[in-house]
Amino acid sequence: MSDSARIVIIGGGVGGASVAYHLTQLGERDVVLLERDELTSGSTFHSAGLVGQLRADPTLTRMNQYSVELYRTLDAGWTECGGIKLASTPERMAEIRRQIGWARTFGLPLEEISVAEAVELFPLMDPEGVVGAAYLPTDGQIDPSQLCYALAQRAREGGAVIRTHTRVLGITTANGRVTGVRTDQGDIDCEIVVNCGGMFAAELGRMAGVRIPIVPMSHQYVVTDAFHDRTGLPTLRDPDLLVYYRQEVQGLVMGGYERTCAPWTAGPNSFDAVPADFNGRLLSEDWPRFEEISDNSRIRVPAMADVGIRKLINGPEAFTPDNEFCLGETEVGGFFVAAGFCAHGIAGAGGIGKVMAEWIVEGEPSMDLWHMDIRRFGRQYRSPSYTIKRAVENYETYYDIRYPGHERSAGRPLRLSPAYGWHAAHGAVFGEKSGWERVNYYDSNATDEGERPGGWAGRLWSPAIGVEHRATRTTAGLFDESSFAKIEVSGPDAADLLEWVCDNRVAREVGAVTYTQALNRRGGIECDFTVTRRGEQEFLIVTGTAFGSHDLGWLRKQAARTGATARIADVTGQYACFALWGPRAPEIIGGLTPDPMDFPFMSSREITVGDVPVLALRVTFVGEMGWELYCSTEYGLGLWQELWRAGEPYGLVAGGYRAIDSLRLEKGYRVWGADIGPETTPYEAGLGFCVKTDKDFLGRDALDPAPERRLRCVTLRDPRAVALGNEPVRLDGQVVARVTSGGYGYTAKESIAYAYLPVGPGAQVEIEVEGAWVPGVVVKSPVVP
C-alpha cells in the first residue's frame, strides 16, 4: 500500500464512495478510500433504499434532486416509481399542502391527489381514514449495494484507489492539522482525511480528538413473501401511522419509526462504541419492539395481516441529535466528516458527495450547508448522555408534525441565564436554542386574544406576543439576550484580521460598534454580527445564539489562512446581556446610573447601572431607542432586578424572542440562516451600506453592486394569512422565489414576508399560504418607520 496520498477517505459505504467519485470529478487523482471489511458492510447493505427528494431544508432538497439526476445515469437498480405521502388527519393534510408549496420553489412536480387516485396508484392500500395525499412522480427506490458499487467503480475510473479489509487504527495530527492515517496494512501520510465511517464515525473522530455527535439507532423493517402481482408500485408513506412501504419484487418492504426506540451501543457507559468485529452484520430481531409498526401496517395495507415474512432486518443506522447530516471540516484542520445520515443517506448520497468534494477542493461548498455543518453542534454535544437524549427524542418523533414554534424537550434545562429563576417565577414560556433556555413569551402578559394569525402560524401562538411587541413600541420592553454568542478577538493582529474578514470597517475608534458581514470568496455572507472595539488590540463580537460555534470556526480558519497572531475565544458564558428598548428606555435607565447616556447610536460605553458595572452598547434589533447591557454573569440577576424595579412605574414589560422577531420583521432587520447566508451577497440582501470597497477584504472582488435580485418586503392583503418561510412567491403567474422569513407585525397590523425578487417596490405578487394564493404587494422597508 502506498505510504502517502493527498486525500484519505475512511468508510466504504455510499457516502465514502460518493465523496471519492465526486473528488475525481473535480480533478483529484491522489485519493485513497479505506474500508475495514467489504464495501457496503456498514449500514449501506441493510438500508431500505427509498429515495424521497422533498425536505423542509431547501439545501437538502436540492442535494436530493441532484442525487436523482445522478442515479438515473448509474447502473444501480434505480426505479423511478414515484412516491405517495398520505394524510390520515386534517393536520397532516395541512402539512402536505405546505410541502406542495415548498416543492414549487424547486420545480419538483409534487401534486395533491385524491384518495381514489392514491388507491389507483397503490391498490394494496385501504383508504379508510385517509383524508388526502400527495404524489411526486420523480421519487423512487434504488438498491443501496448496487449504488455503492456503481459509485466506487466510477471513482476507480477517475483514478481513486480503494483498499478493502484495511482497518484504521489511528489518525495523526500536528499543529492542529491532520497529517496521516495509521492502518493495520501500514501508515499513510496525507493532507486531508474524510471520515465517512457511518456508525463508526464517532469512534474515528476520537482518534483525531474530535467529538462527532451521532448515535447508532436500531432500525427495523420487514421483507414479505410474494403476495401480489402488481408492478411499478410507488413508495408509500403514512406518517400518521409511522410506516413506510416499497415494492420488493412481488412483495413489500415495510418499516417505520416506533415510539419506543432502541439506541444501539456496546455498553451502558460508551454510547458510541461499536464492536470491532461488527462488519456486514445485523442485530438480533426485536419483534416486541416492532409490534407497534406491524399493527399499524395492517391498518393501511390489510394484506400485511396474513402475508408471510421472509425476514426482519434489524440494522444500526447513525442518527444525529437533530435529524440532519453531519458534514464539513472539524476543528482539526483537514479532518472532514460526512456521517449521520439518519436513514435518508441513500436519498442524499449523490448530493453529499458533490458538496463534500467542493468543500474539500475549493475550501467551501457551493450551497448553504449550515443546517448540516458539524459546527452547529455546541460544546454540550461532547457529552454522550446529552447526545443520546436528543437522538432518541429525534428518532421517536421522526414522523411528527413540526408546527412553527415547536420545541424539543430532551436534555432540558441545560444552559441557563442568571435571570432564569426570575423568568420562571413570572410566567415565562421557554424555548431552547443551542442548549440555552430562552424566553419565548410570558403567559402572564396574555391579557386578551389579540390578533391570532390563521393556519399554522396560529397553532402555537399566544396573545402575549402582541402585548410584548406593542409595549416595546409604546413604552419599553426588557429582553434577556444572555444566550447571544460572544467572541473575543485580541492580540497584535486582531485589527488587521478583522479588517480582512469583515466587509465593513471595524478597526475604528475604541468604543465604536460596527454592524458587518464576513464574506466567503464568492461574496456570500458567512457571518453577520456586530463588532465592538474595546481596546487597541481587543474586539468583542456578538452573534446569534446558534451561530457562535460557526462564526468562531470561520474566524479561526481565516486566522490560520492568513497567519494572524490573535486569540479568538468563545466568552458567551462570561457575560449576561439584557436589552432595554422603547421610547421610555432613557427615563428608566437614567434613574439608575450617574453616567451620561447621550453617546451616539452604534457606540459603547462602560457605565454602572445600580450597583452593577456594565458595558452598554447603543444598538437595537427592534428599531427602538435603547441599549444592550452586558455584565459579568455573577451580576446578572441583580442587573435584571434593578432594571425591572426601575421600569415598572413607566410601564416596562418583560418580553421574549417571539416579540423580538415580530418587531424586527417590521423594521426589516435580517436574520442569518433565513434571510441571508452563504448564497446571498450584501448587495442582494440590501446590506450594501456595510460594504467598504475602499479597503481589501475577503470576497470583495466577487461582489456585484447591481445584482439581478434583491431581498424585498411583501405585505399580504389578508393579514391573517401568515407566511413563515419557504412558501412560493409568484409574479405574473410564475414562481420566481420563496419566502425567506415572515410573520405578523402587531404595529403595522399586517402579515409581512421577505423574498428575493427581481422587482421594485409597488409590484403585485402572490404567496401560496397553505394551499391558497394570497395577493401581496412589494413595499418599502421598514414597514414601520
Side-chain angles (χ1 to χ4, degrees), residues 206-541:
R206 285 195 298 274
M207 295 179 182
V210 172
R211 170 66 181 163
I212 299 174
I214 65 167
V215 177
M217 302 292 292
S218 168
H219 182 72
Q220 298 189 112
Y221 64 85
V222 296
V223 182
T224 75
D225 291 334
F227 71 97
H228 65 84
D229 58 0
R230 305 289 179 177
T231 59
L233 288 176
T235 62
L236 181 72
R237 293 176 176 85
D238 190 337
D240 293 308
L241 290 176
L242 312 176
V243 295
Y244 62 77
Y245 310 81
R246 74 162 174 84
Q247 184 161 4
E248 177 69 10
V249 194
Q250 260 55 64
L252 290 177
V253 164
M254 183 280 292
Y257 295 87
E258 67 278 11
R259 295 295 187 188
T260 306
C261 68
W264 179 62
T265 64
N269 298 315
S270 59
F271 292 117
D272 49 24
V274 179
D277 62 348
F278 198 85
N279 304 312
R281 291 169 51 189
L282 295 170
L283 304 176
S284 300
E285 298 176 349
D286 190 350
W287 283 103
R289 186 166 56 84
F290 197 67
E291 185 175 357
E292 177 184 19
I293 302 301
S294 181
D295 290 345
N296 287 354
S297 75
R298 298 172 192 138
I299 296 173
R300 192 55 59 227
V301 178
M304 293 296 296
D306 303 311
V307 68
I309 301 300
R310 184 148 50 97
K311 54 186 172 181
L312 171 65
I313 305 295
N314 185 6
E317 298 193 9
F319 271 72
T320 62
D322 61 2
N323 199 40
E324 298 280 3
F325 299 154
C326 192
L327 309 179
E329 190 172 12
T330 69
E331 64 266 30
V332 174
F335 185 55
F336 288 80
V337 61
F341 295 166
C342 306
H344 48 270
I346 301 301
I352 290 167
K354 179 178 186 294
V355 298
M356 286 299 299
E358 293 169 348
W359 212 327
I360 293 163
V361 174
E362 300 170 8
E364 52 199 52
S366 61
M367 299 182 187
D368 177 4
L369 293 177
W370 169 239
H371 295 294
M372 302 170 227
D373 194 322
I374 189 172
R375 292 172 295 175
R376 73 188 183 274
F377 293 113
R379 287 179 295 172
Q380 65 271 23
Y381 287 100
R382 294 178 185 174
S383 162
S385 64
Y386 184 80
T387 301
I388 202 169
K389 289 172 189 173
R390 304 292 277 192
V392 165
E393 180 187 40
N394 173 63
Y395 186 99
E396 293 180 344
T397 60
Y398 188 88
Y399 274 146
D400 281 8
I401 298 173
R402 298 294 199 278
Y403 293 114
H406 167 82
E407 298 288 350
R408 300 182 63 184
S409 59
R412 296 177 59 184
L414 184 62
R415 304 175 76 181
L416 306 178
S417 159
Y420 173 81
W422 189 98
H423 302 320
H426 287 76
V429 175
F430 292 98
E432 178 268 332
K433 181 167 282 189
S434 196
W436 281 95
E437 293 295 316
R438 312 195 318 167
V439 178
N440 281 339
Y441 53 85
Y442 294 86
D443 259 342
S444 52
N445 289 332
T447 57
D448 55 58
E449 273 299 297
E451 304 96 330
R452 178 181 290 274
W456 273 46
R459 287 185 179 271
L460 298 179
W461 172 89
S462 168
I465 302 167
V467 172
E468 294 163 11
H469 172 122
R470 286 187 290 266
T472 306
R473 289 274 188 254
T474 58
T475 54
L478 182 61
F479 301 89
D480 188 340
E481 295 184 338
S482 298
S483 68
F484 275 19
K486 310 161 194 82
I487 300 169
E488 282 184 354
V489 183
S490 58
D493 297 333
D496 289 342
L497 171 64
L498 290 177
E499 281 296 310
W500 165 249
V501 168
C502 299
D503 61 353
N504 207 340
R505 193 171 301 283
V506 297
R508 299 159 55 210
E509 68 277 6
V510 173
V513 181
T514 305
Y515 172 53
T516 185
Q517 294 76 48
L519 310 183
N520 57 39
R521 60 181 179 80
R522 302 186 312 276
I525 301 172
E526 282 289 343
C527 312
D528 180 73
F529 46 53
T530 61
V531 180
T532 301
R533 188 166 199 174
R534 302 201 64 188
E536 288 302 315
Q537 297 184 3
E538 183 180 355
F539 297 82
L540 174 66
I541 291 173

Side-chain angles (χ1 to χ4, degrees), residues 527-684:
C527 312
D528 180 73
F529 46 53
T530 61
V531 180
T532 301
R533 188 166 199 174
R534 302 201 64 188
E536 288 302 315
Q537 297 184 3
E538 183 180 355
F539 297 82
L540 174 66
I541 291 173
V542 179
T543 187
T545 300
F547 310 140
S549 57
H550 172 278
D551 294 1
L552 186 75
W554 182 259
L555 291 166
R556 286 176 172 169
K557 186 173 185 177
Q558 304 318 313
R561 284 178 171 176
T562 60
T565 300
R567 177 179 180 268
I568 304 171
D570 181 354
V571 296
T572 301
Q574 296 180 27
Y575 297 101
C577 173
F578 307 130
L580 176 65
W581 290 314
R584 308 204 73 175
E587 299 170 74
I588 294 170
I589 202 167
L592 290 173
T593 179
D595 299 290
M597 300 298 290
D598 57 352
F599 52 98
F601 184 57
M602 299 305 287
S603 64
S604 66
R605 182 174 292 173
E606 298 276 359
I607 65 170
T608 59
V609 177
D611 297 331
V612 179
V614 166
L615 172 66
L617 271 60
R618 175 75 172 85
V619 296
T620 181
F621 196 56
V622 301
E624 296 296 333
M625 173 70 181
W627 300 267
E628 287 182 349
L629 305 171
Y630 294 80
C631 70
S632 185
T633 303
E634 71 269 22
Y635 293 110
L637 178 59
L639 176 59
W640 180 274
Q641 290 175 330
E642 290 270 20
L643 293 166
W644 179 252
R645 284 193 293 265
E648 277 192 293
Y650 295 92
L652 177 68
V653 170
Y657 280 86
R658 299 282 182 83
I660 290 177
D661 192 54
S662 174
L663 290 157
R664 72 95 189 166
L665 281 168
E666 292 184 336
K667 292 292 183 175
Y669 296 139
R670 279 63 167 139
V671 171
W672 193 85
D675 303 307
I676 55 179
E679 296 183 62
T680 56
T681 72
Y683 289 112
E684 290 175 324

Side-chain angles (χ1 to χ4, degrees), residues 65 158 160 203 445 460 505 655 748 752 767 771:
Q65 286 180 279
E203 178 183 345
N445 289 332
L460 298 179
R505 193 171 301 283
I752 301 167
I767 296 178

Side-chain angles (χ1 to χ4, degrees), residues 12-14 17-18 39-41 44-47 49 70-71 73-79 141-154 156 246 248-249 346 349:
V14 289
S18 184
L39 296 181
T40 81
S41 64
T44 296
F45 82 94
H46 60 72
S47 297
L70 175 62
Y71 299 168
T73 71
L74 300 175
D75 183 14
W78 168 247
T79 302
Q141 62 188 63
I142 196 166
D143 184 294
S145 294
Q146 288 188 48
L147 172 62
C148 183
Y149 279 103
L151 290 167
Q153 180 58 33
R154 287 204 175 183
R156 288 190 181 99
R246 74 162 174 84
E248 177 69 10
V249 194
I346 301 301

